Amino acid sequence: MISVTVTDYNKRGYLKHALNSVFNQTLDKGLYEVILTKKEEDREVDDYARKNVAKVIYEETSRLGERIYNAMQESKDDIITFLEDDDMYDENGLQVINDAFKERKIGGFRNQVILIDQFGNKTKEELKGG
């Protein structure tokens, strides 16, 4: 199974879109869990996450690395993916990850990154680098 850790990092308005991209995957929902870690409560987003069976964790710390680490500790799966609030998965994203780990023994995997503007239009095909 796959654990998807989603972190809220002070970018109001984006988080629900990020979560929506996770909840609308082609991969069977029984093959992944969602762990949302955030600093403060937002009833609309939190209810949406819980309705879609995400675990919501509130963290006092503003340190992103610490919040990701704590979410990883909550994970019960062997494959852990990371999604920040201003990112989104392609609808096949988790299927690609699942297939990659199922077909071969690998320790890590990096998806293609497609940059979009505030309207959802592609600005560049792929982010280069690291």
Side-chain angles (χ1 to χ4, degrees):
M1 280 195 39
I2 299 172
S3 287
V4 179
T5 61
V6 182
T7 53
D8 173 9
Y9 196 67
N10 299 326
K11 296 200 172 87
R12 287 234 179 253
Y14 289 96
L15 185 56
K16 196 167 181 183
H17 298 293
L19 288 169
N20 192 48
S21 77
V22 176
F23 299 141
N24 289 300
Q25 290 293 300
T26 58
L27 184 66
D28 183 312
K29 291 187 183 346
L31 296 177
Y32 66 95
E33 69 173 345
V34 180
I35 302 168
L36 171 60
T37 178
K38 51 199 313 262
K39 191 166 172 143
E40 55 192 52
E41 187 174 352
D42 177 332
R43 186 177 221 72
E44 179 185 352
V45 171
D46 299 352
D47 287 348
Y48 176 66
R50 288 187 183 106
K51 181 182 110 185
N52 286 281
V53 197
K55 179 184 273 189
V56 181
I57 302 168
Y58 299 103
E59 296 280 348
E60 298 260 336
T61 183
S62 60
R63 295 179 181 167
L64 183 58
E66 187 175 344
R67 290 170 59 204
I68 291 170
Y69 174 80
N70 290 337
M72 289 173 57
Q73 297 304 306
E74 293 290 326
S75 170
K76 58 184 177 216
D77 300 312
D78 294 327
I79 303 168
I80 302 174
T81 69
F82 306 96
L83 187 70
E84 292 184 22
D85 56 1
D86 62 347
D87 296 331
M88 293 181 0
Y89 281 133
D90 182 76
E91 66 184 8
N92 298 333
L94 293 179
Q95 184 67 56
V96 169
I97 293 168
N98 187 62
D99 293 347
F101 279 89
K102 186 174 17 172
E103 293 173 6
R104 52 194 174 274
K105 293 183 179 184
I106 57 176
F109 182 85
R110 182 182 179 271
N111 282 330
Q112 179 183 27
V113 176
I114 299 171
L115 302 178
I116 60 171
D117 62 18
Q118 68 270 26
F119 305 107
N121 301 311
K122 290 182 185 179
T123 59
K124 292 183 183 178
E125 269 305 303
E126 184 173 355
L127 181 64
K128 301 294 181 192

